[in-house]
Amino acid sequence: MRERARAATLVCCLQPVNQSAGHSFLFFLCRAPHAENGINERPIMNAASTPAGAAASNKQHMQEVMAELAKGNGKPFADSMADDFRWTIPGNTSWSRTYEGKQAVISELLQPLFAQFATRYTNTAHRIIAEGDMVVIECQGHVTTKAGKAYNNSYCYVCRMEGGQLKELMEYLDTALVSTALEAPPVAA
């Protein structure tokens, strides 16, 4: 018996989602094969799985993380790091290198850095741009070191996201300010 090929139609569906900032819609595509008993819809991709949806989701996530960092709460930032996270600071400063893995980032970069601060560190995002799995954040840090120096650096973070977590971060910053305001980090073992 010869089987007849079934025609399929892609249907765009909008599902309302209640969010605290107002109503928005979750977009997904459905494959709707024609059948004798009507159309049988099933989702084949949601907004987060599309490049535009991933970008919007990643941007929103980093907006939330940076909003907390602006208040001095760095926990959401650290919680966003994947276990195999990589943080690179280019340049020729004593802090410039690639820190491989979340534990190395925390123990070799963040802990020695924050040990030099006398006041609570804040970092305010001025612009966040996202495309696909990439998020770029232009931001301004504010803190005073224990030596009494202002360390108010300007940053551009170029982040790669995967599964809602930070996988890579390239940190562009004022390297002259790093050299004048910060002590060198301890030598990694």
Side-chain angles (χ1 to χ4, degrees), residues 45-57:
M45 90 173 58
N46 65 30
S49 68
T50 66
S57 177

Side-chain angles (χ1 to χ4, degrees), residues 8-174:
T9 305
L10 290 180
V11 178
C12 296
C13 304
L14 292 176
Q15 175 180 347
V17 176
N18 188 4
Q19 293 183 342
S20 60
H23 294 286
S24 61
F25 292 90
L26 176 64
F27 168 80
F28 60 94
L29 290 176
C30 296
R31 180 167 284 124
H34 296 282
E36 286 81 30
N37 60 355
I39 294 176
N40 180 18
E41 296 182 2
R42 65 181 174 88
I44 58 172
M45 90 173 58
N46 65 30
S49 68
T50 66
S57 177
N58 290 335
K59 181 177 181 177
Q60 180 178 351
H61 176 73
M62 292 310 297
Q63 285 171 326
E64 293 166 2
V65 166
M66 293 303 294
E68 287 299 310
L69 196 53
K71 297 185 267 185
N73 180 10
K75 186 174 182 334
F77 196 97
D79 290 346
S80 290
M81 296 177 201
D83 288 339
D84 60 346
F85 177 60
R86 172 186 291 172
W87 189 317
T88 301
I89 302 171
N92 297 313
T93 74
S94 57
W95 295 88
S96 298
R97 70 180 183 94
T98 297
Y99 300 84
E100 297 278 352
K102 181 177 183 173
Q103 289 307 316
V105 168
I106 291 169
S107 64
E108 299 171 22
L109 173 62
L110 298 178
Q111 288 174 345
L113 178 63
F114 279 66
Q116 296 188 40
F117 298 159
T119 60
R120 181 181 291 248
Y121 177 78
T122 61
N123 190 326
T124 304
H126 298 293
R127 183 171 302 140
I128 300 178
I129 301 167
E131 182 177 308
D133 64 352
M134 301 300 296
V135 178
V136 178
I137 305 164
E138 180 185 357
C139 49
Q140 180 74 45
H142 295 281
V143 73
T144 301
T145 68
K146 291 178 180 174
K149 297 177 182 178
Y151 183 65
N152 301 328
N153 213 328
S154 298
Y155 304 96
C156 179
Y157 296 152
V158 179
C159 308
R160 186 174 69 80
M161 308 287 294
E162 185 178 289
Q165 290 190 303
L166 285 163
K167 291 291 278 185
E168 294 180 54
L169 186 149
M170 177 73 74
E171 175 184 351
Y172 297 97
L173 70 165
D174 180 348

